[in-house]
Amino acid sequence: MNFAELTTEPIEITNVARRVVPPECGATVTLDGYVRQFTKGRETLYLIYEAYDEMAIKEMRKLIEAAADKFEISSVGIVHRTGRLEIGETSVAISVAAPHRKAAFQACDWLITELKRTVPIWKKEVYANGEEWVGGDGSR
Amino acid sequence: MAKVLFFGATADIAGTRQVDRPAVDTDCLLAELIEEFPHLASQRLLVSVNQEYASSTIPLEDEDEVAIFTAVSGG
């Protein structure tokens, strides 16, 4: 029931959320992370995401295992998109199903925090007058 | 030879996504690559060997897959 995937196609949030529902659960919490137009006063035209595919999948799977240890949850689905993304498009979806919603919320928050810290994927911001790879701490 | 992969900012600096280099250890490899691509030195670099993060120097064998990249920014 757990899955960790990369895709170059648009992410359909409800599909991700629906794939994690097992019978013993009462709630699924889904994070829909999408491309923001304005960051620190600069306007983004679009983003490019690049991944170290095999290692990214491995690291996402490790996170899912760790989350299952840490929180009382049933299943996790993570899908991250790579390639060019336009404003408003979903870059990452994380769905967590659990018997009770509190664990699902906590696990989902933990997962996105850890994904941003450890999964080998890089974001390049393209502005009207330049472009740059974003640093791990959000620096550019 | 070890297979060395670059991504994102490091790929831009190296002008390539992959090179083959003698497999000694990651410290030596990094030093060599910085000599070859000096702009790498201006970045805080992360290293992985066979898709596991390397926090200190690791001896390398032929066919090992090493990746050199900057801090990740997914999500």
Side-chain angles (χ1 to χ4, degrees):
Chain A
M1 196 92 53
N2 295 321
F3 56 90
E5 297 168 0
L6 295 174
T7 182
T8 52
E9 299 295 315
I11 294 174
E12 199 34 67
I13 275 290
T14 39
N15 288 349
V16 180
R18 286 280 114 193
R19 277 170 71 188
V20 297
V21 179
E24 72 272 15
C25 284
T28 296
V29 170
T30 296
L31 168 83
D32 176 2
Y34 46 83
V35 180
R36 175 169 55 221
Q37 188 175 17
F38 293 98
T39 301
K40 299 190 176 172
R42 290 183 84 173
E43 184 182 355
T44 300
L45 295 185
Y46 59 90
L47 296 184
I48 305 271
Y49 279 95
E50 188 178 329
Y52 183 178
D53 285 15
E54 277 179 47
M55 188 175 170
I57 302 265
K58 281 190 175 144
E59 289 295 317
M60 290 194 288
R61 287 198 179 133
K62 281 184 196 170
L63 290 186
I64 293 177
E65 254 187 73
D69 263 348
K70 221 171 137 63
F71 304 100
E72 273 182 57
I73 58 180
S74 294
S75 48
V76 178
I78 304 177
V79 182
H80 201 303
R81 187 172 162 198
T82 57
R84 175 175 166 150
L85 271 77
E86 307 298 332
I87 305 301
E89 291 198 289
T90 297
S91 53
V92 62
I94 301 180
S95 281
V96 182
H100 303 287
R101 68 180 186 278
K102 184 162 169 175
F105 275 111
Q106 288 174 335
C108 195
D109 183 44
W110 185 86
L111 282 161
I112 184 62
T113 302
E114 289 302 295
L115 182 150
K116 286 162 95 65
R117 196 176 66 79
T118 67
V119 176
I121 297 177
W122 300 270
K123 168 169 76 176
K124 180 193 259 197
E125 296 241 12
V126 180
Y127 309 106
N129 57 354
E131 57 181 49
E132 57 198 346
W133 290 100
V134 175
D137 53 359
S139 64
R140 281 150 176 80
Chain B
M1 301 290 264
K3 178 164 80 165
V4 182
L5 304 178
F6 298 106
F7 296 93
T10 59
D12 282 356
I13 290 170
T16 179
R17 292 204 132 65
Q18 178 175 339
V19 296
D20 290 327
R21 287 288 176 273
V24 185
D25 61 56
T26 48
D27 269 5
C28 279
L29 180 57
L30 214 43
E32 267 181 48
L33 290 170
I34 287 175
E35 221 183 287
E36 192 175 342
F37 308 110
H39 279 309
L40 283 178
S42 68
Q43 309 285 325
R44 214 185 110 250
L45 298 172
L46 298 173
V47 179
S48 69
V49 177
N50 297 328
Q51 303 173 10
E52 295 289 331
Y53 282 106
S55 50
S56 54
T57 193
I58 291 190
L60 295 170
E61 302 181 7
D62 282 340
E63 313 288 309
D64 273 347
E65 180 174 295
V66 180
I68 313 282
F69 44 84
T70 52
V72 303
S73 51

Short mmCIF file of all heavy atoms in Angstrom, two decimals, chain B residues 43-72:
data_model
loop_
_atom_site.label_atom_id
_atom_site.label_comp_id
_atom_site.label_asym_id
_atom_site.label_seq_id
_atom_site.Cartn_x
_atom_site.Cartn_y
_atom_site.Cartn_z
N GLN B 43 30.95 25.80 -3.89
CA GLN B 43 29.70 25.21 -3.41
C GLN B 43 29.97 24.31 -2.22
O GLN B 43 31.04 23.72 -2.11
CB GLN B 43 29.08 24.33 -4.51
CG GLN B 43 28.94 25.00 -5.86
CD GLN B 43 27.83 25.99 -5.90
OE1 GLN B 43 26.81 25.79 -5.25
NE2 GLN B 43 28.02 27.08 -6.61
N ARG B 44 28.97 24.19 -1.35
CA ARG B 44 29.05 23.17 -0.31
C ARG B 44 28.59 21.88 -0.97
O ARG B 44 27.44 21.80 -1.41
CB ARG B 44 28.17 23.51 0.88
CG ARG B 44 28.79 23.05 2.21
CD ARG B 44 27.88 23.28 3.38
NE ARG B 44 27.36 22.03 3.92
CZ ARG B 44 26.10 21.62 3.83
NH1 ARG B 44 25.20 22.34 3.21
NH2 ARG B 44 25.73 20.47 4.35
N LEU B 45 29.48 20.91 -1.06
CA LEU B 45 29.18 19.72 -1.84
C LEU B 45 28.79 18.53 -0.99
O LEU B 45 29.33 18.32 0.09
CB LEU B 45 30.41 19.34 -2.69
CG LEU B 45 30.85 20.39 -3.72
CD1 LEU B 45 32.17 19.98 -4.33
CD2 LEU B 45 29.79 20.57 -4.79
N LEU B 46 27.85 17.76 -1.51
CA LEU B 46 27.48 16.50 -0.89
C LEU B 46 27.96 15.38 -1.80
O LEU B 46 28.03 15.55 -3.02
CB LEU B 46 25.96 16.43 -0.70
CG LEU B 46 25.36 17.48 0.22
CD1 LEU B 46 23.84 17.40 0.19
CD2 LEU B 46 25.85 17.30 1.65
N VAL B 47 28.26 14.24 -1.19
CA VAL B 47 28.77 13.10 -1.95
C VAL B 47 27.95 11.87 -1.61
O VAL B 47 27.60 11.66 -0.45
CB VAL B 47 30.25 12.84 -1.60
CG1 VAL B 47 30.78 11.65 -2.38
CG2 VAL B 47 31.09 14.07 -1.88
N SER B 48 27.65 11.07 -2.61
CA SER B 48 27.04 9.77 -2.33
C SER B 48 27.86 8.72 -3.05
O SER B 48 28.47 8.99 -4.10
CB SER B 48 25.59 9.73 -2.81
OG SER B 48 25.52 9.76 -4.21
N VAL B 49 27.91 7.52 -2.46
CA VAL B 49 28.59 6.39 -3.10
C VAL B 49 27.57 5.25 -3.18
O VAL B 49 26.99 4.88 -2.15
CB VAL B 49 29.81 5.93 -2.27
CG1 VAL B 49 30.45 4.71 -2.93
CG2 VAL B 49 30.82 7.06 -2.16
N ASN B 50 27.36 4.77 -4.38
CA ASN B 50 26.36 3.72 -4.61
C ASN B 50 25.04 4.08 -3.94
O ASN B 50 24.39 3.26 -3.28
CB ASN B 50 26.89 2.36 -4.14
CG ASN B 50 28.11 1.95 -4.94
OD1 ASN B 50 28.22 2.29 -6.13
ND2 ASN B 50 29.05 1.27 -4.31
N GLN B 51 24.67 5.32 -4.12
CA GLN B 51 23.37 5.86 -3.72
C GLN B 51 23.15 5.91 -2.22
O GLN B 51 22.00 5.91 -1.76
CB GLN B 51 22.26 5.09 -4.44
CG GLN B 51 22.46 5.18 -5.94
CD GLN B 51 21.52 4.33 -6.75
OE1 GLN B 51 20.56 3.78 -6.21
NE2 GLN B 51 21.77 4.22 -8.04
N GLU B 52 24.23 5.96 -1.46
CA GLU B 52 24.15 6.22 -0.03
C GLU B 52 25.00 7.44 0.26
O GLU B 52 26.13 7.56 -0.26
CB GLU B 52 24.70 5.04 0.78
CG GLU B 52 23.91 3.75 0.64
CD GLU B 52 22.56 3.80 1.34
OE1 GLU B 52 22.42 4.54 2.33
OE2 GLU B 52 21.63 3.11 0.88
N TYR B 53 24.49 8.33 1.11
CA TYR B 53 25.27 9.51 1.46
C TYR B 53 26.58 9.11 2.11
O TYR B 53 26.63 8.19 2.93
CB TYR B 53 24.46 10.39 2.45
CG TYR B 53 23.40 11.21 1.78
CD1 TYR B 53 22.06 10.87 1.90
CD2 TYR B 53 23.73 12.34 1.03
CE1 TYR B 53 21.08 11.63 1.29
CE2 TYR B 53 22.75 13.11 0.42
CZ TYR B 53 21.42 12.75 0.55
OH TYR B 53 20.45 13.50 -0.05
N ALA B 54 27.65 9.82 1.76
CA ALA B 54 28.96 9.60 2.36
C ALA B 54 29.29 10.81 3.20
O ALA B 54 29.43 11.91 2.69
CB ALA B 54 30.00 9.42 1.27
N SER B 55 29.39 10.62 4.52
CA SER B 55 29.65 11.77 5.38
C SER B 55 31.13 11.98 5.62
O SER B 55 31.55 13.04 6.05
CB SER B 55 28.92 11.59 6.71
OG SER B 55 29.21 10.32 7.22
N SER B 56 31.93 10.95 5.37
CA SER B 56 33.38 11.12 5.44
C SER B 56 33.98 10.31 4.30
O SER B 56 33.24 9.65 3.58
CB SER B 56 33.91 10.65 6.78
OG SER B 56 33.47 9.34 7.00
N THR B 57 35.27 10.35 4.15
CA THR B 57 35.86 9.73 2.97
C THR B 57 35.62 8.22 2.94
O THR B 57 35.64 7.55 3.97
CB THR B 57 37.36 10.06 2.85
OG1 THR B 57 37.78 9.70 1.54
CG2 THR B 57 38.18 9.35 3.89
N ILE B 58 35.36 7.74 1.74
CA ILE B 58 35.06 6.32 1.55
C ILE B 58 35.97 5.77 0.47
O ILE B 58 36.12 6.39 -0.58
CB ILE B 58 33.59 6.15 1.12
CG1 ILE B 58 32.67 6.51 2.28
CG2 ILE B 58 33.31 4.74 0.64
CD1 ILE B 58 31.22 6.16 2.05
N PRO B 59 36.61 4.63 0.74
CA PRO B 59 37.43 4.02 -0.32
C PRO B 59 36.54 3.56 -1.46
O PRO B 59 35.42 3.08 -1.23
CB PRO B 59 38.11 2.84 0.37
CG PRO B 59 37.37 2.62 1.63
CD PRO B 59 36.58 3.83 1.97
N LEU B 60 37.03 3.72 -2.68
CA LEU B 60 36.21 3.38 -3.84
C LEU B 60 36.75 2.17 -4.58
O LEU B 60 37.95 1.91 -4.57
CB LEU B 60 36.17 4.58 -4.81
CG LEU B 60 35.50 5.84 -4.28
CD1 LEU B 60 35.76 7.01 -5.23
CD2 LEU B 60 34.00 5.61 -4.12
N GLU B 61 35.83 1.47 -5.23
CA GLU B 61 36.24 0.35 -6.09
C GLU B 61 35.77 0.63 -7.50
O GLU B 61 34.88 1.46 -7.71
CB GLU B 61 35.61 -0.94 -5.57
CG GLU B 61 35.98 -1.23 -4.15
CD GLU B 61 35.37 -2.52 -3.65
OE1 GLU B 61 34.76 -3.26 -4.46
OE2 GLU B 61 35.50 -2.78 -2.45
N ASP B 62 36.33 -0.09 -8.44
CA ASP B 62 35.89 0.04 -9.83
C ASP B 62 34.39 -0.23 -9.91
O ASP B 62 33.87 -1.09 -9.18
CB ASP B 62 36.62 -0.95 -10.72
CG ASP B 62 38.03 -0.46 -11.03
OD1 ASP B 62 38.27 0.76 -10.88
OD2 ASP B 62 38.87 -1.29 -11.41
N GLU B 63 33.75 0.49 -10.78
CA GLU B 63 32.31 0.34 -11.00
C GLU B 63 31.46 1.02 -9.93
O GLU B 63 30.24 1.02 -10.03
CB GLU B 63 31.85 -1.14 -11.08
CG GLU B 63 32.70 -2.03 -11.94
CD GLU B 63 32.53 -1.76 -13.43
OE1 GLU B 63 31.37 -1.73 -13.90
OE2 GLU B 63 33.53 -1.57 -14.11
N ASP B 64 32.09 1.58 -8.89
CA ASP B 64 31.30 2.31 -7.90
C ASP B 64 30.66 3.52 -8.57
O ASP B 64 31.21 4.11 -9.49
CB ASP B 64 32.18 2.80 -6.74
CG ASP B 64 32.32 1.76 -5.65
OD1 ASP B 64 31.56 0.77 -5.66
OD2 ASP B 64 33.19 1.93 -4.78
N GLU B 65 29.48 3.88 -8.08
CA GLU B 65 28.76 5.04 -8.61
C GLU B 65 28.84 6.15 -7.56
O GLU B 65 28.31 6.01 -6.46
CB GLU B 65 27.30 4.67 -8.89
CG GLU B 65 26.46 5.82 -9.45
CD GLU B 65 25.07 5.35 -9.84
OE1 GLU B 65 24.96 4.53 -10.77
OE2 GLU B 65 24.09 5.80 -9.21
N VAL B 66 29.52 7.22 -7.91
CA VAL B 66 29.68 8.35 -7.00
C VAL B 66 28.88 9.51 -7.56
O VAL B 66 28.88 9.73 -8.76
CB VAL B 66 31.17 8.76 -6.90
CG1 VAL B 66 31.34 9.94 -5.94
CG2 VAL B 66 32.03 7.59 -6.46
N ALA B 67 28.20 10.23 -6.70
CA ALA B 67 27.50 11.42 -7.17
C ALA B 67 27.96 12.62 -6.35
O ALA B 67 28.17 12.51 -5.14
CB ALA B 67 25.99 11.25 -7.05
N ILE B 68 28.15 13.72 -7.02
CA ILE B 68 28.58 14.98 -6.38
C ILE B 68 27.51 16.01 -6.63
O ILE B 68 27.18 16.31 -7.78
CB ILE B 68 29.89 15.50 -7.02
CG1 ILE B 68 30.93 14.39 -7.16
CG2 ILE B 68 30.43 16.69 -6.23
CD1 ILE B 68 31.65 14.02 -5.91
N PHE B 69 26.93 16.54 -5.56
CA PHE B 69 25.85 17.50 -5.76
C PHE B 69 25.77 18.51 -4.63
O PHE B 69 26.40 18.36 -3.59
CB PHE B 69 24.50 16.77 -5.91
CG PHE B 69 24.24 15.66 -4.94
CD1 PHE B 69 23.73 15.93 -3.67
CD2 PHE B 69 24.46 14.34 -5.29
CE1 PHE B 69 23.47 14.92 -2.78
CE2 PHE B 69 24.19 13.31 -4.41
CZ PHE B 69 23.69 13.59 -3.13
N THR B 70 25.00 19.55 -4.87
CA THR B 70 24.80 20.58 -3.86
C THR B 70 23.58 20.20 -3.01
O THR B 70 22.88 19.23 -3.31
CB THR B 70 24.55 21.95 -4.51
OG1 THR B 70 23.50 21.81 -5.48
CG2 THR B 70 25.81 22.44 -5.20
N ALA B 71 23.36 20.99 -1.97
CA ALA B 71 22.25 20.70 -1.04
C ALA B 71 20.95 20.50 -1.80
O ALA B 71 20.64 21.23 -2.74
CB ALA B 71 22.11 21.84 -0.05
N VAL B 72 20.19 19.50 -1.39
CA VAL B 72 18.98 19.14 -2.12
C VAL B 72 17.88 20.18 -1.89
O VAL B 72 17.85 20.86 -0.87
CB VAL B 72 18.51 17.72 -1.73
CG1 VAL B 72 19.62 16.72 -1.99
CG2 VAL B 72 18.04 17.67 -0.29
#
